[in-house]
Amino acid sequence: MSDVKKLYIKTYGCQMNVYDSERMAEVMGGSGYVTTDSPDDADMILLNTCHIREKAAEKVYSELGRFKPLKAAKPDLKIGVAGCVAQAEGEEIMARQPLVDLVVGPQSYHRLPQLEAKARAGGKALDTDFPEEDKFEKLKDRPKAQRGPTAFLTVQEGCDKFCAFCVVPYTRGAEVSRPVDRILAEARDLVERGVREITLLGQNVNAYHGAGPDGDWTLAQLIWALDKVDGLERIRFTTSHPNDMSDDLIAAHGECSKLMPYLHLPVQSGSNKILKRMNRSHTAESYLKLIERIREARPDILMSGDFIVGFPEETEADFQDTMELIRAVNYGQAFSFKYSTRPGTPAAERAQVDDAEASDRLTRLQALITQQQRAVQDSMVGREVQVLFEKPGRLDGQMVGKSEYLHAVHVADAQAARGDIARVRIVESGPNSLAGVLA
Ligand code: 5AD
Ligand code: SF4
């Protein structure tokens, strides 16, 4: 028997989980694991979970149940739960699902090899600490494998904002920024491995304040340093909080050509009463004013957002305020959710909105968003955009990539390779993507 073991990781939730799963795969490479796309031949299964909304955690439990026959057929199979459900529920997971051998919170991924060894020795391994040491430093020892043209890079983690509905400050912990030199080194390494677009990640990315050569740097300073990295063509960042949109960051949107004209800036609600109860510490007016300033700096920027409907005590009038704000902004993209109670958060104690009413509001809001999204997408027809090609399309000779505005663009007869950037004239707008021809 060979010593190579197979690791299957299933990732739920946000882009930071995608990044974390890559790091976990790399650190387990040191313990003799290679990744596999199927749980069937795995020696270890890791679910990298999301706790942001109810259904996310429920999906994890039902997925775990499905592994029962696999474990029965292969008693050596180790099953682990990582991510925010692991952090929030800890030992409860093992109690609820005895199949689980290992539970690891997001701040302890660098300790995964030891946890795996403990599980392999027949024990149950749990680590949901918030350790002092720098997780990222311990995770960075990785093979120089070639990468696709786009990559995520975590620059900041955790959140101190404590929005009344949100588990992130509890599962990801206090806000921490990585030092500038480590981020630049990681970015250069990614570029050497074929990456042309980097999305800087953080739960509160624009609150970034990492140690630089001359004191703490802002996110804008970091973006300007990345702008100078040869071979890196595009920079994006997500997710931002309206209150941390500093002047230098707004200005960078107008001045830094590598910074893409797309901004995800969640507002959650358009009602000042609800915003206050959400502990958002901004108003609908201040948000609209901010967007006006961002559009002054970069008129063609595509705005994206997040919305929660049915937050405790939200009335139809509050909901109409949200619809009004959406009309005022004109979003090119938005994500919307029905409020879901997160145990341990302040809003969990409050009177809930009737579920059918909340569902109805969500349907109406999504209809409006879809309409705006489609109109913004349709307005691209006839325009020229720059497309970074990511993969071949389904048709022969076709390539698929993303425009500056993050629209998926299909180009027939593209004569391009993955990682190429080409000028493309948009000729058609479909339900989920654009079609174009080389300009
Ligand atoms: N219920 C519904 N949506 C939520 N979000 C965060 N917490 C909750 C919750 N308890 C949404 C917010 C956030 C996005 C990532 O998820 O809109 O911006
Ligand atoms: Fe959660 Fe974002 Fe609010 Fe932080 S700012 S508590 S991550 S919703």
Side-chain angles (χ1 to χ4, degrees):
M1 214 189 94
S2 86
D3 284 346
V4 176
K5 294 183 291 258
K6 290 192 175 157
L7 171 65
Y8 171 74
I9 306 185
K10 181 157 181 174
T11 308
Y12 298 83
C14 66
Q15 294 150 324
M16 194 176 283
N17 269 6
V18 175
Y19 177 88
D20 286 345
S21 291
E22 288 167 3
R23 298 292 82 72
M24 286 194 275
E26 285 167 2
V27 79
M28 290 313 290
S31 299
Y33 278 91
V34 295
T35 53
T36 169
D37 292 335
S38 153
D40 300 330
D41 64 346
D43 300 283
M44 179 168 168
I45 294 175
L46 262 182
L47 298 185
N48 190 6
T49 63
C50 171
H51 196 51
I52 200 95
R53 288 171 294 277
E54 213 125 40
K55 292 220 178 70
E58 282 316 308
K59 268 193 235 157
V60 170
Y61 281 109
S62 71
E63 183 81 34
L64 283 169
R66 280 206 286 277
F67 295 142
K68 204 168 183 168
L70 283 180
K71 183 111 173 178
K74 194 191 224 177
D76 267 357
L77 171 66
K78 297 297 161 201
I79 297 179
V81 179
C84 291
V85 176
Q87 189 64 43
E89 307 212 344
E91 271 168 16
E92 249 179 86
I93 299 174
M94 288 178 183
R96 189 167 155 184
Q97 184 45 273
L99 287 178
V100 174
D101 303 290
L102 182 164
V103 172
V104 58
Q107 301 311 325
S108 304
Y109 291 156
H110 54 296
R111 296 177 177 169
L112 205 49
Q114 292 91 298
L115 295 168
E116 188 266 352
K118 185 173 172 192
R120 237 169 242 283
K124 295 263 178 188
L126 173 92
D127 193 341
T128 51
D129 288 352
F130 286 96
E132 284 295 311
E133 69 260 22
D134 185 343
K135 165 182 75 167
F136 294 104
E137 270 308 282
K138 301 246 161 30
L139 284 172
K140 80 172 185 193
D141 186 23
R142 42 190 217 194
K144 295 265 175 198
Q146 201 58 23
R147 299 272 310 235
T150 65
F152 296 126
L153 200 175
T154 294
V155 302
Q156 176 279 335
E157 197 175 357
C159 182
D160 296 337
K161 295 276 194 293
F162 291 93
C163 298
F165 50 81
C166 186
V167 286
V168 166
Y170 311 96
T171 59
R172 290 276 169 174
E175 196 194 301
V176 178
S177 293
R178 294 178 67 193
V180 169
D181 56 350
R182 311 248 169 93
I183 294 168
L184 293 178
E186 189 167 330
R188 286 191 205 100
D189 173 64
L190 287 169
V191 170
E192 274 172 30
R193 294 156 66 190
V195 171
R196 309 203 74 191
E197 172 181 304
I198 291 179
T199 302
L200 306 174
L201 296 181
Q203 271 90 24
N204 225 304
V205 72
N206 58 342
Y208 177 82
H209 55 92
D214 47 3
D216 281 1
W217 276 22
T218 62
L219 183 66
Q221 285 176 287
L222 182 64
I223 287 168
W224 280 112
L226 287 164
D227 182 67
K228 292 184 194 76
V229 173
D230 280 340
L232 179 63
E233 303 297 340
R234 293 177 157 192
I235 305 163
R236 303 181 186 275
F237 61 89
T238 198
T239 291
S240 299
H241 191 286
N243 291 5
D244 294 312
M245 257 345 265
S246 56
D247 293 344
D248 60 348
L249 188 56
I250 294 174
H253 275 285
E255 294 161 4
C256 178
S257 59
K258 289 187 185 177
L259 184 58
M260 292 294 101
Y262 178 103
L263 181 62
H264 183 61
L265 196 62
V267 63
Q268 315 296 356
S269 169
S271 153
N272 288 338
K273 177 192 99 185
I274 294 297
L275 286 170
K276 198 166 180 145
R277 288 178 197 189
M278 285 178 164
N279 191 31
R280 288 288 296 181
S281 57
H282 61 75
T283 62
E285 293 75 24
S286 67
Y287 178 82
L288 290 172
K289 180 80 204 136
L290 178 62
I291 290 194
E292 212 175 281
R293 289 177 52 219
I294 295 164
R295 283 184 168 149
E296 266 165 33
R298 182 78 203 228
D300 63 337
I301 199 160
L302 187 145
M303 290 303 307
S304 163
D306 286 344
F307 294 90
I308 296 177
V309 301
F311 186 77
E313 297 164 81
E314 183 190 72
T315 62
E316 177 63 25
D318 295 318
F319 173 69
Q320 286 306 331
D321 288 345
T322 302
M323 296 291 270
E324 197 52 47
L325 177 140
I326 294 172
R327 283 185 207 102
V329 172
N330 193 29
Y331 286 93
Q333 165 84 286
F335 305 91
S336 49
F337 316 97
K338 197 160 71 169
Y339 170 70
S340 102
T341 307
R342 304 287 70 205
T345 59
E349 311 298 321
R350 302 181 197 157
Q352 306 292 310
V353 169
D354 174 67
D355 188 61
E357 182 60 43
S359 297
D360 181 61
R361 286 177 197 164
L362 185 64
T363 306
R364 285 183 281 155
L365 185 145
Q366 289 182 338
L368 176 59
I369 293 284
T370 305
Q371 195 187 320
Q372 294 192 340
Q373 216 167 296
R374 231 5 241 275
V376 169
Q377 209 187 287
D378 291 350
S379 75
M380 294 287 159
V381 176
R383 282 180 60 180
E384 283 188 8
V385 294
Q386 299 273 3
V387 175
L388 169 60
F389 290 110
E390 291 176 20
K391 57 182 184 214
R394 256 174 297 155
L395 306 177
D396 212 24
Q398 190 188 48
M399 289 291 287
V400 191
K402 298 271 167 56
S403 76
E404 303 91 313
Y405 308 100
L406 214 55
H407 286 129
V409 183
H410 293 253
V411 180
D413 203 13
Q415 294 156 1
R418 283 178 96 195
D420 286 352
I421 296 178
R423 259 206 108 63
V424 168
R425 191 164 49 80
I426 302 301
V427 293
E428 200 186 320
S429 169
N432 299 308
S433 65
L434 298 166
V437 293
L438 292 179

